[in-house]
Amino acid sequence: MPLALFALAVASFGIGTTEFVIMGLLPELARDLSVTIPQAGLLITGYALGVVVGGPIIAIATTRLPRKTTLVGLTSLFVVGNLLCAIAPSYALLMAARVVTAFGHGAFFGIGSIVAARLVPRHQRARAMAMLFAGVTLANILGVPAGTALGQAFGWRSTFWVVVVIGIVSVAAIAAFVPKTGEGEAPASLASEFRVFRNSQVWLAMAISVVTSASLFAVFTYIAPILQTVTGISPGATTLVLLLFGAGITIGNLVGGRLADWRLMETIIGALGLLAIVMLQFALSSHHAAAATATVFIWGVVFFALIAPLQMRVVECASDAPNLASTLNQGAFNLGNALGAWIGGTALTLGVNYDRLPILGAVLATLALGIALQSWRMGRRRLATVAAE
């Protein structure tokens, strides 16, 4: 894989770390800024909304700019946003800084996916996208635990200072190693970017992303209480299980990229079917420590085997003008995150037991499978029609 992909992965590592590390620093943040834990938790919600809203705005604003220039600008925005987080004197300013940082998130992964795909031969494009997202998986395994430990030992601001350094390294690496892509091509127009949304396959691809992500977060949001109250393991053991989940998503990301380069839609359909089965099985295995641990690991493998293929599917469906669609798909993942957490929370409020939440996740995975099958059937019918003509 080209050095440019490693440069993009460094940036995604930093972005993934800054997105998730704040979950482990909520007590320190709340105490230092004199707010409640729920108020501090809104910093996570604010970031997610910044991704959903800011991504399309940035993608539209940079439509006619070279993609390398855009990526350098987005990683620079990431540096500035985290610098503002590190020095924010109040909760309100920290929230504003988080939103500023999030604005570049969706556009970076959206445009970065397109650049990554163009750095390699066509039969390696999904693997290239998986390399981009590998930074996020490593952030969950290394960046978030290390950042949490650093923030607890030296104050939460120290974590953001380190992320600023990672951001500066990524800016330099992208500037040095990412080549200019698309030279000689006419810049995409705003009209052409919006025109791709006439394609129903683009909408179906993003719908799969939303529902697939919701299937994870309807359960994973509440994974700690599931493991501690249903499985009966200690908080320390829960952390180890979550590390195994992180190892699983790292493996799944690499496997999914390879399989998608071989058979894209078949990979998506097969992984969604397997995801529904794993979720159903977790409803039973959650009562036994060893079985629950194994299931969580497999769950991570299967779920993240879908990320690069789903992003690749959107890019392929919107091939004429993919910037906006690819960026919106990142918003779709984040929308699914929020929707899944809300669905799971609502189910618990209505009296559903923790050990039944995986069944809800399986239902959502099955819904995503149904959408994928419909998309696959429509694609085959279209190919048959073209062949007949």
Side-chain angles (χ1 to χ4, degrees):
M1 289 290 170
L3 279 175
L5 286 177
F6 291 96
L8 293 173
V10 170
S12 73
F13 174 81
I15 293 172
T17 299
T18 201
E19 178 181 12
F20 297 115
V21 75
I22 202 165
M23 297 177 186
L25 299 175
L26 290 184
E28 288 76 16
L29 275 165
R31 185 168 52 251
D32 186 49
L33 300 176
S34 301
V35 297
T36 65
I37 293 289
Q39 285 175 316
L42 290 176
L43 293 167
I44 300 168
T45 304
Y47 188 97
L49 292 176
V51 174
V52 174
V53 175
I57 293 173
I58 296 293
I60 291 169
T62 60
T63 296
R64 301 187 67 82
L65 291 178
R67 291 190 178 114
K68 177 176 179 175
T69 302
T70 301
L71 289 174
V72 170
L74 291 172
T75 46
S76 299
L77 177 63
F78 169 77
V79 172
V80 171
N82 280 283
L83 177 61
L84 292 174
C85 288
I87 64 176
S90 67
Y91 172 78
L93 290 175
L94 179 58
M95 176 66 81
R98 288 283 290 172
V99 173
V100 167
T101 307
F103 260 52
H105 178 120
F108 174 83
F109 283 105
I111 296 170
S113 296
I114 300 166
V115 172
R118 294 196 173 195
L119 290 171
V120 296
R122 185 173 183 84
H123 68 277
Q124 293 182 337
R125 286 184 173 182
R127 269 176 280 180
M129 288 189 187
M131 179 66 74
L132 169 66
F133 288 107
V136 178
T137 65
L138 288 175
N140 280 278
I141 296 174
L142 301 176
V144 173
T148 299
L150 181 68
Q152 291 170 346
F154 299 102
W156 62 270
R157 296 179 190 275
S158 64
T159 299
F160 286 101
W161 282 113
V162 171
V163 173
V164 166
V165 173
I166 295 172
I168 292 172
V169 171
S170 68
V171 172
I174 289 172
F177 298 119
V178 174
K180 294 179 180 179
T181 59
E183 288 196 7
E185 298 178 7
S189 67
L190 194 56
S192 64
E193 290 286 348
F194 279 103
R195 198 176 299 126
V196 299
F197 293 105
R198 296 177 184 175
N199 184 348
S200 60
Q201 290 285 17
V202 173
W203 289 106
L204 288 172
M206 288 194 291
I208 298 169
S209 296
V210 171
V211 182
T212 300
S213 188
S215 76
L216 171 71
F217 277 85
V219 185
F220 195 73
T221 304
Y222 309 97
I223 189 64
I226 290 173
L227 292 173
Q228 291 170 28
T229 63
V230 178
T231 312
I233 64 177
S234 68
T238 298
T239 301
L240 293 176
V241 173
L242 294 181
L243 283 174
L244 276 177
F245 181 84
I249 67 175
T250 302
I251 295 170
N253 181 54
L254 298 175
V255 171
R258 283 187 170 274
L259 289 176
D261 280 327
W262 175 53
R263 291 283 192 276
L264 179 58
M265 279 306 294
E266 288 84 348
T267 295
I268 293 172
I269 290 168
L272 284 170
L274 187 56
L275 181 63
I277 294 170
V278 171
M279 298 298 291
L280 278 176
Q281 197 272 337
F282 190 39
L284 300 174
S285 65
S286 61
H287 292 271
H288 309 280
T293 301
T295 302
V296 169
F297 172 75
I298 296 169
W299 184 19
V301 173
V302 175
F303 176 78
F304 232 83
L306 283 159
I307 301 301
L310 288 174
Q311 188 71 13
M312 187 68 195
R313 177 63 175 171
V314 170
V315 170
E316 283 199 348
C317 291
S319 57
D320 293 335
N323 285 14
L324 182 56
S326 183
T327 299
L328 280 172
N329 196 50
Q330 292 302 304
F333 283 126
N334 278 269
L335 179 61
N337 296 354
L339 183 62
W342 176 79
I343 290 172
T346 300
L348 292 172
T349 301
L350 293 174
V352 174
N353 294 328
Y354 281 123
D355 63 348
R356 301 294 93 181
L357 280 184
I359 297 175
L360 183 58
V363 170
L364 290 168
T366 302
L367 175 59
L369 174 61
I371 299 171
L373 287 169
Q374 175 62 18
S375 175
W376 180 68
R377 282 194 292 265
M378 288 172 60
R380 289 180 65 86
R381 281 200 299 267
R382 184 175 180 277
L383 287 175
T385 301
V386 170
E389 292 174 353

